[in-house]
Amino acid sequence: MEPIEIGLWVTGFLLVLVVLGMRVAFAAGLAGLVGLVWIFWAKFGYDPARFGKALTIAVKTAGQVPHSKVSSQALSLIPTFILIGYLAYYAGLTRALFEAAKRWIAWLPGGLAVATVFATAGFAAVSGASVATSAVFARIAIPEMLAVGYNKRFAAGVVAAAGTLASLIPPSAILVIYAIIVEQDVGKLLLAGFIPGAFSAVVYVLLIIGIAVIFKNVGPPVTGFTWRQRFESLPAALPIVFVVVIIICFVYNPFGGDAWGTPTEGGALGAFVVFCMALWRGMRWSEFKSALLETAKLTVMIFTIIWGVLIYVRFLGFADLPGAFSDWITSLAMSPMVILICILLAYAVLGMFMDAIGMLLLTLPVVYPAVMALNGGESVAAVDSAFGMSGPMCAIWFGILVVKMAEFCLITPPIGLNCFVVAGVRDDLSVQDVFHGVMPFFIADGVTIALLVAFPAIVLYLPSLA
């Protein structure tokens, strides 16, 4: 049997394991190991006496993956970004941010929901985890909305959908993972997420206002805040802005010249600054311990997925499945843009059955080379490309698109993770309530993705300046 055929059979085996409910990390690791054993045994002509040798080589090959990949400097960004978010929460910075947004924006139709989106976007700028963002604002924002008469499904949907912004607005763990898998510049990818992330937030806000205007009882406005109360809320929220500015200036050096440090160093500096602010605001040992434990749990979960999937990715390299898929994609008698749209639609379907990180890790080794081939290759110039951009810019553009699709998958049934998190935090909400509440945001995400595809400059403007 040819290596490509082995690759297809093992990929089918992986999909069966996922459908049966096995965790992506373990399913991918098992499928990758089985595939490696099969590949090496096939090279020995399926000699029963040499099966042990094939197994030994496969185990050694798979065993090299965890250390070689997780020791990458780029991955050290993930725990620092997650720690920033949890420290900010336990220091009370997130509540202060929401309170400021509420006092300034709540007078709009659906004003508390709008304030939630903007506060979530602000928190996303210091936190790299969507799940953590959703959990934090389910505790803070939903009680406030329910207290003034918001529909509980609508309130839950707002928090679940707004939580996805942390996947796109830097610092973003998923963007870092994408950069590592496709071997692109982490700094430029993080920079590229700013405008699309803010754009997504604005689209959410417009949708919320429209719903609140049409359905009066869904999200009533909140009035009564004086200008003095509004200005009094700003000092407590400014530390979040201060941390964001520090990280941006440290990594991108707005004054020109070389950057003052790497993204990893910027993340570590941001975590230290938030830690000092938390101490100043009276964070106790129990709260600091909880922040460290929550950071460790989420980091271990992400790293475990990376370990398992990269074993499968190593197998794909031996099977040459990415190259075969690229050749097949480029041979199709369709325009590159139509093929790209079909790939994005496939992500929407796949995201209904897999978590966002696992989905990207499993598909990118195959899909990314195909998209780059559609555009004309890694080193193609903009004038010779299919999408009107150079190879490196195409890599950044496609990265933002797939991460936005990953955001979309965080709220799609039946396993939209953000929806389960919101329902888990709130005893008065069922998962069905949250899924019902996020349905209007499918439209908002569809509009955002369509505009990012039609106008790549939204994504590429800031990276082109770096």
Side-chain angles (χ1 to χ4, degrees), residues 105-114 150 205 208-213 219-222:
I105 305 172
W107 58 271
L108 290 168
L112 277 183
V114 173
Y150 271 61
V205 165
I208 289 168
I209 293 174
I211 291 174
V213 169
V222 177

Side-chain angles (χ1 to χ4, degrees), residues 131 301 355-356 409-412 415-422 435:
V131 172
M301 182 193 77
D355 65 274
C409 297
L410 286 169
I411 57 174
T412 51
I415 63 166
L417 191 56
N418 278 20
C419 297
F420 280 93
V421 168
V422 171
F435 277 128

Side-chain angles (χ1 to χ4, degrees), residues 379-450:
S379 58
V380 68
V383 293
D384 301 320
S385 64
F387 298 130
M389 62 193 77
S390 66
M393 288 292 110
C394 181
I396 292 173
W397 177 59
F398 181 65
I400 297 300
L401 291 179
V402 295
V403 169
K404 183 60 188 176
M405 292 306 303
E407 281 189 2
F408 184 71
C409 297
L410 286 169
I411 57 174
T412 51
I415 63 166
L417 191 56
N418 278 20
C419 297
F420 280 93
V421 168
V422 171
V425 171
R426 300 288 306 180
D427 293 335
D428 55 335
L429 289 168
S430 67
V431 176
Q432 290 76 14
D433 288 331
V434 186
F435 277 128
H436 188 279
V438 298
M439 284 184 181
F441 294 92
F442 296 162
I443 300 172
D445 280 340
V447 170
T448 301
I449 293 166

